[in-house]
Amino acid sequence: MIYDPVHECMPVEKMRELQLERLQKIVAYAYEKVPFYRKKYDEAGVKPSDIKCLEDIRKLPFTVKSDLRDNYPYGLLAVEKTKLKRIHASSGTSGKPTVVCYTDHDMEVWSDCCARLAAAAGVNGDDIVQVSFGYGLFTGALGMHQGCEKLGAAIIPASSGNTERQVMLLKDLEATVLVCTPSYALYIGEIMEKLGYSKKDLKLRIGLFGSEASTEEMHREIAKKLGIFTNDNYGLSELIGPGVSGECTEKCGMHINEDHFYPEVLNPETFEPVPDGTYGELVLTSLTKEGMPVIRYRTKDITALDHSPCKCGRTTVRMAKLRGRTDDMLIIRGVNVFPSQIEGVLMNMPEVGGQYEITVYREGYMDKLEVRVEVADGSYLTDFNKLEALRQKIKHNLRTVLQIDAIVKLVEPLSLKRYEGKSKRVTDLRKI
């Protein structure tokens, strides 16, 4: 089902015209209403009238996360606080939280964008949707809640945590759609098996996953455990929350809601645009955000764009699954390593479980990469030869992909920490 065929299937030329019109309007609006943008653009020597074509967006300076923190809490507001309908914020793990504000107009856009990506995954008014994101300042739960609700689906606002209860609700309330992080979906599958249930005991058919990068291999593992069609979606609170993009049933990239978000993928060193299919840093501009417009925001996420036609009929550009973040990339002995590469190797090996931890540390002057991973079958731990053969196999497979050696440590099933929200897979002790 296509929720908004007018915009999701708009001819490309018409979309570019709409984007330019909205870009010119939002730049002028931000310049007039937000002192931060007026000062930034004056210092860069650019005026709203300089935006005459879409390529002129490159004349505008970037916005970065520290800009939001430096203007905490309301410094980037373009409206009076009395016009706000909702206020969300990031976790603030590395300082003050980043506050994001929504007007009535923004809430309507947000709900529509989330409804689009849920519909693209196959959600409809007959579904029962269990939202297992944490409710609160985090945008994920309420964003997907209101999007699926707009499609007419019934919502179970389960929130996160108490995983045995999550399984009980999935089974007893006959949920057909699960909304959570992909790592939590894997954990739900593990607990379900521990309780003696199989995927045949559930009515689940779709998983809407977001909030953390995940590989195709991880999605295959989730699909095997829960018996569902897995779907990736993408968003970030600084722009809107979930609703920026999402996969359709063709699973060939995440369709970006281009009428609301203008995407650029740039070389993170030169900041020059890269061709379709080339990975770079995603930069996004909110074209319609009223309460707190965000222009040329450096997401730090690594992806690639694809403008080729999609079999689903949507004409919007698609972005690839995230390869990682520019600030998540590990440089180990001069080699660039993304955690997603390690995940891809491990998830392709049935002998290991779905959980792993990565630690980077320095021994003398040499960087070391350690990967701890659970075995799928605890009997490996009682047979040294079998265990060592598996360890060497993992080490070889990692070496083939990463081009460096890793220290591999195998641990018993269910021994590594599980996460109900975003997983924390990497510890870099070189920074401590």
Side-chain angles (χ1 to χ4, degrees):
M1 181 179 82
I2 298 178
Y3 177 77
D4 181 359
V6 171
H7 292 100
E8 295 181 77
C9 304
M10 182 177 281
V12 174
E13 299 78 13
K14 291 289 185 185
M15 178 62 77
R16 299 295 167 259
E17 291 173 7
L18 178 62
Q19 287 178 318
L20 177 57
E21 176 189 324
R22 289 182 168 179
L23 177 63
Q24 290 170 326
K25 183 177 179 181
I26 200 69
V27 171
Y29 175 75
Y31 186 85
E32 177 189 352
K33 301 288 187 180
V34 186
F36 164 81
Y37 282 111
R38 185 161 56 250
K39 182 174 183 290
K40 201 175 186 74
Y41 294 169
D42 285 346
E43 289 174 351
V46 62
K47 300 291 184 186
S49 57
D50 293 331
I51 308 301
K52 302 185 187 304
C53 62
L54 285 172
E55 290 71 22
D56 286 337
I57 195 171
R58 294 173 59 197
K59 296 177 180 179
L60 302 171
F62 296 113
T63 305
V64 296
K65 191 152 194 166
S66 60
D67 291 329
L68 277 71
R69 290 201 177 107
D70 292 344
N71 288 276
Y72 172 90
Y74 295 123
L76 296 182
L77 269 187
V79 298
E80 296 294 325
K81 290 194 288 291
T82 54
K83 291 189 176 181
L84 297 180
K85 183 76 172 182
R86 179 87 64 78
I87 300 171
H88 281 275
S90 71
S91 60
T93 52
S94 55
K96 289 279 190 182
T98 53
V99 173
V100 285
C101 303
Y102 304 77
T103 62
D104 276 321
H105 163 80
D106 297 333
M107 290 299 297
E108 191 65 26
V109 168
W110 190 19
S111 297
D112 280 345
C113 285
C114 289
R116 287 185 195 181
L117 63 87
V123 179
N124 60 55
D126 295 331
D127 279 306
I128 297 174
V129 180
Q130 183 159 318
V131 180
S132 297
F133 277 137
Y135 279 73
L137 290 175
F138 171 60
T139 55
L142 285 164
M144 295 308 299
H145 177 133
Q146 60 209 26
C148 292
E149 203 167 53
K150 199 150 195 174
L151 296 175
I155 311 298
I156 306 169
S159 196
S160 60
N162 198 341
T163 309
E164 291 191 6
R165 185 168 179 268
Q166 297 277 354
V167 174
M168 179 192 75
L169 293 174
L170 286 170
K171 180 179 179 295
D172 294 350
L173 301 185
E174 300 183 342
T176 55
V177 179
L178 173 64
V179 177
C180 63
T181 63
S183 57
Y184 193 46
L186 268 180
Y187 186 39
I188 287 174
E190 290 173 344
I191 296 300
M192 186 177 76
E193 291 169 358
K194 182 181 174 184
L195 295 174
Y197 296 121
S198 78
K199 57 191 175 185
K200 294 178 182 178
D201 295 312
L202 304 181
K203 300 286 188 182
L204 275 181
R205 64 187 193 90
I206 297 172
L208 295 176
F209 303 131
S211 188
E212 64 185 19
S214 57
T215 59
E216 202 56 59
E217 291 83 3
M218 185 181 225
H219 277 239
R220 283 200 293 269
E221 184 67 17
I222 296 168
K224 185 172 73 173
K225 282 184 178 294
L226 298 181
I228 57 176
F229 172 78
T230 64
N231 177 274
D232 226 353
N233 61 73
Y234 173 78
L236 60 169
S237 62
E238 296 91 333
L239 268 291
I240 197 168
V244 172
S245 66
E247 287 182 315
C248 65
T249 52
E250 297 295 327
K251 286 183 75 72
C252 56
M254 293 180 277
H255 288 271
I256 298 175
N257 287 318
E258 284 191 276
D259 50 322
H260 296 295
F261 307 101
Y262 184 77
E264 304 169 76
V265 172
L266 308 178
N267 182 311
E269 295 178 0
T270 66
F271 300 114
E272 292 295 319
V274 298
D276 264 23
T278 302
Y279 281 81
E281 181 179 341
L282 179 64
V283 174
L284 288 170
T285 294
S286 63
L287 296 174
T288 56
K289 193 81 180 288
E290 184 180 68
M292 191 179 281
V294 180
I295 299 172
R296 294 204 88 196
Y297 184 73
R298 288 188 60 188
T299 68
K300 301 294 187 75
D301 291 320
I302 303 296
T303 187
L305 296 181
D306 184 354
H307 287 86
S308 67
C310 183
K311 292 179 182 178
C312 74
R314 293 172 180 82
T315 55
T316 46
V317 65
R318 304 185 304 283
M319 58 183 277
K321 277 182 178 290
L322 299 184
R323 181 168 283 181
R325 291 174 55 83
T326 56
D327 49 5
D328 280 349
M329 184 181 74
L330 300 165
I331 301 176
I332 303 170
R333 302 195 290 277
V335 177
N336 295 343
V337 175
F338 286 98
S340 59
Q341 294 174 296
I342 296 172
E343 180 177 294
V345 170
L346 299 177
M347 292 296 171
N348 261 329
M349 300 181 66
E351 305 97 325
V352 302
Q355 301 297 327
Y356 62 92
E357 292 177 353
I358 300 165
T359 304
V360 185
Y361 60 94
R362 191 162 284 138
E363 192 173 89
Y365 296 102
M366 182 69 73
D367 289 341
K368 300 285 187 177
L369 171 65
E370 179 180 296
V371 180
R372 301 178 74 221
V373 59
E374 295 178 353
V375 292
D377 182 354
S379 67
Y380 274 92
L381 299 171
T382 61
D383 186 330
F384 177 80
N385 292 332
K386 195 175 173 183
L387 187 70
E388 181 60 17
L390 176 57
R391 192 183 70 80
Q392 289 295 340
K393 181 180 178 182
I394 296 170
K395 186 180 176 75
H396 169 77
N397 291 354
L398 288 172
R399 168 78 189 182
T400 301
V401 171
L402 304 179
Q403 300 302 304
I404 61 171
D405 284 320
I407 300 164
V408 176
K409 294 188 176 180
L410 298 175
V411 299
E412 63 186 63
L414 302 176
S415 63
L416 297 180
K417 184 174 181 180
R418 266 58 176 170
Y419 294 87
E420 295 160 1
K422 290 185 181 182
S423 59
K424 186 180 185 300
R425 307 280 198 188
V426 182
T427 302
D428 191 345
L429 297 176
R430 299 172 301 176
K431 299 177 181 179
I432 297 175

